[in-house]
Amino acid sequence: MGIEVRVLGGGGEVGRTGVFLRDSSRSKGLLLDYGVGFDDYGRPMFPEHVKPSDVAGIVISHAHLDHIGAAPLFYISTKPRVVMTKPTLEVSSILIRDMLKISSYYIDYTEEELNEMINSAIVLDYGGEVDLDGYNIAISNAGHIIGSALTYINTPSGERVLFTGDLNTVNTYTISAAEPWPGEVDAIVIESTYGGVEHPERHRVEKRLVEVVEATIDGGGVVLIPAFSVGRSQEVLTMIASEMPYVDIYLDGMPREISRIYLRNSKYLRNPDLFRKALEVAHVVRDWNDRRRAFRKPSVIISSAGMLKGGPALYYLKKLADEPRNAVILVSYQSKDSPGHEILEAGSIADLGISVKAKLMWFDLSSHAGRRGLLNMALHYRESLRTVILVHGDNESRDKLAKSITEALPGVKVYAPMNGECILL
Ligand SMILES: [Zn+2]
Ligand SMILES: [Zn+2]
């Protein structure tokens, strides 16, 4: 008897998360997330394989591609039920379709399998429960992006496992902090992206960002904020529209479509009215005329892509980079190979011949918990907790978080498995 937790992806890395959990009293197990990662050339990488006939069902924590991008592979030969929230279903459908447009050559499934997955979905609200082949599943808010969920699994033999997906433990303008499920937990599979660092205090970062935007507008400049389509764009939009309602805000790129999903699912937001008003006052860019109008007067432009890998943000950057009165504010994680990283390091993007004279800044508006928040999630279950498994973090972050948890909870076993490793609970 026992529970087997196999890490298929996300072991010692951020990207292509996949965890397979099987109760030895059952022939089938539960798949928790199945995402894609991307190599240095932008080609998708998949988690390790699990036989579709071994899968009792799939649970998806949230809509980011590193958690759901590989899941349609299961709909080539079978049709497992897949549990997720409504915003996760709607947002991920758009993100996966977009990925297929760019990378279909490297991906073994097509839009047909994606549609099969959508048709096999069991849509669950926070607080809801469902049974898949004896595995009882319940979800609550993970605080990361719209519809992100913490998943509680009560296995057929009564072991209680929490799978966090990505989580955030502070309130932001759009999303409320994670709400741990009331009840006991024996094991946690927890993300560790920022397991080794503390984020600066959120409200200080927000205040500083608002000050910079205000000063730039007052000085006659335009502010460009390249932001991820899901989450950060809506967050920055809501922040600026509520703190500076008199400023012209333009919204461009994929955030426009995602924002409509936010609006349709506004009960998942911390303050639905605040977001609704922000979207009402924003100029949603419709065409090239709008796009050219956006920077004629002092304004704030929020556009994808968050790491400047493409999208209208690049067009705006070329137009705005030369003028010292303007500001370019990056608010998202910048991977080492990204143009966003290059611009922050060198003040230029060599390949595109862009050199920036505008103010260049980066603000930490992370949607992931820092070390303390992650530790608190484990401490919340200290009465019953026996095992912690760290995923979704590089080795340094995992090691630091493992140390913090071991110090705070000496009786708890902490594992940092690599892909393919299996832990018996
Ligand atoms: Zn995520
Ligand atoms: Zn992730």
Side-chain angles (χ1 to χ4, degrees):
M1 287 293 280
I3 309 293
E4 156 193 317
V5 179
R6 188 145 43 101
V7 175
L8 307 171
E13 61 180 356
V14 175
R16 57 167 170 179
T17 299
V19 171
F20 188 64
L21 180 145
R22 194 179 70 88
D23 192 311
S24 59
S25 69
R26 296 286 151 135
S27 61
K28 293 185 178 195
L30 213 55
L31 183 63
L32 306 167
D33 284 351
Y34 206 60
V36 291
F38 294 92
D39 69 11
D40 290 347
Y41 304 98
R43 292 177 302 212
M45 300 186 298
F46 297 90
E48 298 204 353
H49 193 63
V50 56
K51 272 207 299 215
S53 57
D54 288 346
V55 174
I58 307 172
V59 185
I60 300 293
S61 66
H62 67 287
H64 280 148
L65 288 174
D66 60 318
H67 297 260
I68 190 172
L73 283 171
F74 283 89
Y75 297 82
I76 294 171
S77 58
T78 52
K79 293 181 182 54
R81 285 164 299 172
V82 57
V83 177
M84 61 182 109
T85 63
K86 186 165 160 276
T88 298
L89 185 64
E90 292 186 13
V91 172
S92 65
S93 304
I94 290 177
L95 297 184
I96 292 173
R97 283 203 176 92
D98 189 59
M99 177 176 69
L100 281 174
K101 264 188 229 153
I102 300 161
S103 308
S104 61
Y105 180 79
Y106 301 103
I107 299 173
D108 283 340
Y109 66 80
T110 64
E111 198 142 326
E112 202 173 314
E113 282 78 33
L114 168 62
N115 290 333
E116 283 291 354
M117 182 174 86
I118 293 168
N119 293 333
S120 307
I122 299 173
V123 169
L124 206 60
D125 253 341
Y126 296 149
E129 291 183 39
V130 67
D131 186 275
L132 288 181
D133 202 19
Y135 295 87
N136 186 264
I137 294 151
I139 60 167
S140 68
N141 172 29
H144 173 59
I145 57 166
I146 192 166
S148 63
L150 303 169
T151 305
Y152 300 81
I153 303 119
N154 200 342
T155 71
S157 57
E159 202 76 15
R160 300 154 302 181
V161 181
L162 162 60
F163 174 69
T164 67
D166 293 350
L167 80 132
N168 199 6
T169 48
V170 297
N171 281 323
T172 65
Y173 277 83
T174 43
I175 308 290
S176 302
E179 291 155 48
W181 183 262
E184 297 192 323
V185 153
D186 304 298
I188 301 185
V189 182
I190 190 168
E191 69 126 314
S192 52
T193 322
Y194 294 103
V197 292
E198 302 294 359
H199 298 299
E201 262 186 77
R202 185 79 179 199
H203 72 273
R204 282 175 199 258
V205 180
E206 292 164 350
K207 192 164 170 273
R208 181 78 191 111
L209 196 154
V210 168
E211 282 167 6
V212 171
V213 171
E214 205 149 42
T216 307
I217 301 276
D218 286 350
V222 174
V223 180
L224 169 64
I225 308 184
F228 290 154
S229 303
V230 186
R232 223 62 53 84
S233 299
Q234 292 77 17
E235 177 67 14
V236 174
L237 167 68
T238 312
M239 183 192 308
I240 292 172
S242 11
E243 301 301 333
M244 290 173 280
Y246 43 86
V247 167
D248 273 325
I249 307 171
Y250 288 84
L251 190 67
D252 203 352
M254 203 199 272
R256 296 170 294 182
E257 200 175 352
I258 303 293
S259 294
R260 284 195 284 275
I261 299 180
Y262 266 62
L263 204 59
R264 278 207 298 279
N265 294 279
S266 62
K267 71 168 183 178
Y268 284 86
L269 300 177
R270 182 176 167 213
N271 187 336
D273 277 347
L274 210 58
F275 180 71
R276 200 172 298 125
K277 278 186 200 140
L279 203 56
E280 266 167 29
V281 302
H283 306 280
V284 178
V285 173
R286 292 160 302 180
D287 52 25
W288 276 98
N289 280 336
D290 281 358
R291 200 160 281 150
R292 282 187 282 265
R293 196 174 301 131
F295 49 85
R296 277 196 203 134
K297 288 189 299 185
S299 69
V300 176
I301 302 168
I302 301 166
S303 173
S304 54
M307 293 194 234
L308 290 168
K309 280 186 177 175
L314 268 186
Y315 164 78
Y316 293 118
L317 179 67
K318 284 179 198 156
K319 294 287 176 192
L320 300 171
D322 249 0
E323 172 55 61
R325 282 184 303 178
N326 296 336
V328 178
I329 300 180
L330 295 165
V331 289
S332 304
Y333 167 77
Q334 307 293 323
S335 67
K336 287 230 159 54
D337 59 334
S338 67
H341 189 264
E342 187 184 344
I343 216 170
L344 286 172
E345 293 282 303
S348 58
I349 306 176
D351 280 358
L352 302 172
I354 297 175
S355 170
V356 182
K357 296 196 188 87
K359 286 190 284 285
L360 252 178
M361 304 180 93
W362 180 80
F363 285 88
D364 184 348
L365 291 180
S366 183
S367 55
H368 291 266
R371 187 195 68 94
R372 176 44 65 180
L374 295 167
L375 176 62
N376 283 345
M377 189 54 72
L379 287 171
H380 184 84
Y381 296 103
R382 66 196 312 158
E383 299 301 328
S384 53
L385 192 65
R386 299 196 314 272
T387 310
V388 175
I389 300 170
L390 304 176
V391 294
H392 200 289
D394 62 27
N395 285 328
E396 192 190 339
S397 306
R398 294 200 307 176
D399 290 349
K400 284 185 176 161
L401 183 61
K403 194 164 168 276
S404 301
I405 295 175
T406 308
E407 276 166 17
L409 296 165
V412 169
K413 277 193 192 137
V414 182
Y415 296 93
M418 297 311 284
N419 294 341
E421 277 183 51
C422 190
I423 290 146
L424 288 173
L425 302 181

